[in-house]
Amino acid sequence: MALSAAAWLWGPLAWRLWRRANIRRQPFPPPWRETLRRRMPAFARLPADVQLRLKKHAQVLLAEKPFIGCAGLQVTDEMRVLVAVQASLLLLRRRGHFDSLRQVLIYPGAFVVNRQAPDPAGLVREERQALVGESWQQGQVILSWDDVLAGAADPHDGRNVVIHEFAHQLDQESGAANGAPWQSGAAARARWARVMAAEFQTLQQQLGQGVEGLIEPYAATNAAEFFAVLSELFFEKPLELASAHGALYAELRSLYGVDPLSWMNTSATSSALKH
Ligand SMILES: [Zn+2]
């Protein structure tokens, strides 16, 4: 009885791990490599072991997650690869492959949604918003292809819609997005909560005084957006984030298990320091 219960519990997990190991053994197709060369110039500058791990994680994502075109968009391998490799930055040292994500929807460009928002008089207004990305707790990420391309083309502007929306997915794996993705260790979780709350409060105070710094005002919307915006900065502006917000940088380094500062070569680091 105990044995069959264990087999029932472990069977699907063992099957999934075996399947993923098989996928990782496949070669990364040359046309996919060509896509990275043309569309994601930062990829070639990453350390070789990071490149390899990104490709392997991306292969698993591409085998497991359906990509669906919206508003007439035909999804190509180029789109799938560019999304999967950028999303894999968040998985480098984490277990799992966005396991609650069911599908990725791609629109050709920014997409319009209708939202209900209460106004100060207590009436609910219908609002139309143009979005570049969205992440749903029910396992859906929605992206604008124009913005996926822009994010990959400029790796240092601090804006990357794929990192942003997949950071929300990580956050949503442990319930509603609250800016606290799951990590092991009660002490690590407590430290995360303390540092994030203090920095979030500081950001709101500074914005209230009209002071704008590295972290864009949108991050002050709530704890979930704060975390997603910080994830973009962590991977795209590690030097600036580490210099201006050392404690935040250390928390993200511990969460993601990587140190993007160490990926920058010394000449890039010293020239960035000069500006
Ligand atoms: Zn967001």
Side-chain angles (χ1 to χ4, degrees):
M1 182 73 176
L3 193 67
S4 64
W8 183 77
L9 277 173
W10 285 100
L13 180 64
W15 163 246
R16 187 156 69 179
L17 294 178
W18 179 83
R19 223 174 65 93
R20 284 179 179 172
N22 259 349
I23 293 163
R24 281 198 201 90
R25 271 196 288 275
Q26 309 293 321
F28 197 78
W32 295 7
R33 217 173 298 151
E34 177 59 18
T35 289
L36 295 177
R37 199 187 59 75
R38 284 192 305 116
R39 299 293 201 189
M40 190 179 170
F43 185 83
R45 295 196 293 271
L46 292 168
D49 65 312
V50 174
Q51 290 187 25
L52 184 66
R53 275 188 283 139
L54 283 177
K55 287 194 277 193
K56 296 296 159 194
H57 284 311
Q59 281 174 282
V60 173
L61 288 180
L62 291 169
E64 293 187 353
K65 312 295 183 192
F67 285 67
I68 298 161
C70 301
L73 182 79
Q74 287 283 335
V75 174
T76 62
D77 268 7
E78 180 177 70
M79 295 172 186
R80 297 167 68 244
V81 168
L82 211 53
V83 171
V85 170
Q86 293 183 88
S88 294
L89 282 164
L90 312 186
L91 300 179
L92 282 167
R93 290 285 181 200
R94 285 182 68 88
R95 243 183 276 165
H97 287 79
F98 303 108
D99 292 337
S100 44
L101 176 65
R102 288 185 295 111
Q103 57 191 20
V104 179
L105 273 57
I106 307 181
Y107 280 85
F111 47 95
V112 175
V113 294
N114 290 320
R115 283 290 141 75
Q116 291 193 330
D119 71 7
L123 296 166
V124 173
R125 258 175 318 124
E126 190 82 0
E127 279 186 347
R128 284 168 71 76
Q129 296 177 327
L131 301 179
V132 298
E134 256 195 324
S135 171
W136 288 79
Q137 201 184 336
Q138 294 85 357
Q140 214 160 255
V141 163
I142 310 169
L143 298 164
S144 140
W145 172 236
D146 280 348
D147 294 273
V148 171
L149 273 178
D154 188 342
H156 302 304
D157 62 356
R159 288 178 181 273
N160 186 301
V161 69
V162 175
I163 291 175
H164 184 106
E165 302 307 336
F166 280 83
H168 281 318
Q169 272 297 304
L170 282 188
D171 193 3
Q172 287 163 327
E173 281 176 359
S174 53
N178 61 357
W182 191 86
Q183 52 185 323
S184 57
R189 289 195 293 273
R191 198 187 54 220
W192 174 276
R194 208 169 48 240
V195 171
M196 297 298 265
E199 293 269 358
F200 184 71
Q201 204 182 3
T202 305
L203 176 67
Q204 287 194 314
Q205 281 166 355
Q206 286 176 341
L207 291 172
Q209 293 159 1
V211 180
E212 258 191 60
L214 173 68
I215 306 172
E216 63 167 303
Y218 182 68
T221 308
N222 54 43
E225 296 305 337
F226 188 55
F227 165 61
V229 169
L230 286 177
S231 295
E232 293 177 80
L233 291 173
F234 179 69
F235 287 103
E236 295 222 336
K237 289 180 175 281
L239 190 61
E240 291 88 335
L241 186 64
S243 312
H245 304 274
L248 280 179
Y249 186 86
E251 286 309 306
L252 289 154
R253 188 178 55 202
S254 144
L255 177 82
Y256 288 120
V258 292
D259 186 0
L261 262 184
S262 71
W263 300 345
M264 305 169 74
N265 62 38
T266 37
S267 64
T269 308
S270 55
S271 77
L273 276 170
K274 274 181 226 144
H275 297 288

